Amino acid sequence: MIRLPSNPDPKADEGGPAEKRVFIKSYGCQMNAYDATRMADVLAPEGYAETADIAEADLVILNTCNIREKAAEKVYSELGRIRELRDAKAAEGIAMRVAVAGCVAQAEGAEIIRREPLVDLVVGPQAYHRLPELLRRPVTRKGIVDTEFPAEDKFDHLPLASRLKTRARGFSAFLTVQEGCDKFCTFCVVPYTRGAEVSRPVAKIIREAEELAAAGVREVMLLGQNVNAYHGLGEDGEAWTLARLMRRIAQVPGLARIRYATSHPRDMGDDLIALHGELPEAMPYLHLPVQAGSDRVLKAMNRKHTADEYRAIIAKVRAARPDIAVTSDFIVGFPGESDADFEATMALVREIGFAAAYSFKYSERPGTPAAERKDQVPETVKTARLAALQALILEQQTAFNAGTIGKVVDVLFEKPGRNPGQIGGKSPYLQAVHVEGPASLIGHIVPVKITGIASNSLAGMLVRPDIRSSESKRFNSIVA
Ligand code: 5AD
Ligand code: SF4
């Protein structure tokens, strides 16, 4: 049974909501990170303030991911640890509620509560705007499951003022413009957990971008499972492409940088490619997953393009913006992948030269076509292929980073650095950069000369400490 806290917040007596704490842990992709901020937004008017300390939480939300096996397993082991904490708090008469949100919630539904009765509430990625209502329902032993795809737009159910309060956390923010996927790659659960592709209307996105800018945000990352398939209703009643949307967002005062992820090669339109050479606010960075370099595997994955088509897209993008950082995702050990197929992936990587990449062992996802295949690749083979691919990618990443040494790049400073007197930020190529500099530069975009590389970041020095923010909007690329 859940008991009320023994020392209710004094505000409760004044009729205001009692001060409660919510701890949200997010797994997986950037869209989940964005969803976590939206959950905090929707809970703020209910009297929930976010906490980074799980021990003081009245409500714990695990915002889960099930794109690969281990992600779901991690959630179950985390729930085990939470159970100990909750029991210890219950012994002191303090209640703690536990919710599982995100894609594991969507895929497993009530199964989560069967496997881990500690969980009070299971809420899918399309239903989290209903959290306040779900939390107000009486607590039952059976728990509450909401994995509907409601007809109403969840984005319309967010309180404005609190959104700013909770989101004004930094100078770079996520903004979901598109959600869901109709591509049905044979390995992937996303079309089942996130549902069909939906683009938000331009006007709503612009309003959110303006709010973010007003809260001090300088850089937005436009999110979507297939972000470059964006086709939202424009201000003129037409369907707008992502490129058109980006040109419009670039007009929002204060926003100096625009990024987008994740893209599909099939939707890499010519206008989007051209934009990279034309719009200074479009950062020279493209995350374009290819998954594999063998046409046979690409076909079996239902990727709907060949390796040569991918090469051609990258060539066009580089013609438009020669310095662009290209990154990708890879899956090794897809069912039926032979040594020759894997070699084709290695050859593609060698040819393209990536600034960074994520690579994964294929993981069987129940309900997806590839999981049914009998020709699964042995774990040892997957391990060896992953190690070879990751070594090659690391080499390329190091080479890309080394290539910026001696150059001047624009850095958006976001936080104090690791050591006192240092500040840290991001280059246009999404590299972490640290310099010796005053904290007053945090929130500004400043040209920095790169002097060296460390394992996960670049070291640099301020070249013109007098240059700030809007002035430095011109410096969006390497200028020396
Ligand atoms: N196994 C391994 N990796 C996967 N990904 C998606 N589904 C699977 C799977 N079943 C990877 C893809 C995708 C990234 C987000 O996760 O590379 O681009
Ligand atoms: Fe999954 Fe393929 Fe859709 Fe990406 S494009 S979300 S990999 S189904």
Side-chain angles (χ1 to χ4, degrees), residues 67-68 187-188 289 291 329-331 360-363 365:
I67 198 134
R68 287 170 295 276
F187 52 80
C188 187
Q291 315 296 356
D329 289 347
F330 294 90
I331 294 178
F360 313 99
K361 291 182 198 174
Y362 168 72
S363 140
R365 305 284 67 214

Side-chain angles (χ1 to χ4, degrees), residues 67 180-192 197 224-226 262-265 267 289 291 301-303 329 331:
I67 198 134
C181 180
D182 295 335
K183 295 275 190 307
F184 289 94
C185 298
T186 56
F187 52 80
C188 187
V189 286
V190 167
Y192 311 96
E197 208 175 297
Q225 265 93 28
N226 252 250
T262 287
S263 299
H264 191 288
D267 297 311
Q291 315 296 356
M301 287 177 162
N302 192 31
R303 289 292 291 176
D329 289 347
I331 294 178

Side-chain angles (χ1 to χ4, degrees), residues 381-392:
V381 175
K382 286 185 196 170
T383 305
R385 287 180 186 165
L386 187 69
L389 178 58
Q390 288 188 338
L392 177 58

Side-chain angles (χ1 to χ4, degrees), residues 177-310:
V177 302
Q178 178 277 343
E179 201 173 348
C181 180
D182 295 335
K183 295 275 190 307
F184 289 94
C185 298
T186 56
F187 52 80
C188 187
V189 286
V190 167
Y192 311 96
T193 56
R194 290 274 171 172
E197 208 175 297
V198 179
S199 294
R200 294 178 68 193
V202 172
K204 290 186 183 176
I205 294 167
I206 297 303
R207 202 170 130 217
E208 195 170 332
E210 285 169 350
E211 286 167 16
L212 291 170
V217 167
R218 310 289 329 272
E219 172 180 291
V220 283
M221 168 77 98
L222 307 180
L223 296 180
Q225 265 93 28
N226 252 250
V227 73
N228 59 344
Y230 179 82
H231 58 275
L233 182 69
E235 289 160 325
D236 54 2
E238 282 177 31
W240 283 24
T241 61
L242 181 66
R244 254 185 111 175
L245 176 70
M246 285 173 67
R247 286 186 195 279
R248 176 66 185 83
I249 292 176
Q251 292 167 7
V252 172
L255 291 185
R257 292 177 156 197
I258 309 172
R259 304 178 184 278
Y260 57 96
T262 287
S263 299
H264 191 288
R266 279 285 292 241
D267 297 311
M268 208 58 218
D270 284 342
D271 62 342
L272 184 57
I273 293 175
L275 183 94
H276 277 286
E278 293 164 8
L279 189 73
E281 289 82 0
M283 287 294 97
Y285 182 92
L286 174 65
H287 182 62
L288 195 64
V290 62
Q291 315 296 356
S294 145
D295 286 345
R296 211 175 66 85
V297 173
L298 287 170
K299 191 156 195 302
M301 287 177 162
N302 192 31
R303 289 292 291 176
K304 303 183 174 81
H305 64 83
T306 63
D308 276 351
E309 281 162 353
Y310 185 85

Side-chain angles (χ1 to χ4, degrees), residues 23 32-34 45 55 98 102 137 140 153 163 252 274 316 330 334 341 355 358 424 462 466:
F23 172 88
N32 254 16
Y34 173 84
V98 179
R137 288 193 201 167
T140 65
D153 182 353
R163 190 192 305 177
V252 172
K316 270 201 216 170
F330 294 90
F334 183 82
D341 290 324
Y358 298 96
L462 300 170
D466 53 316

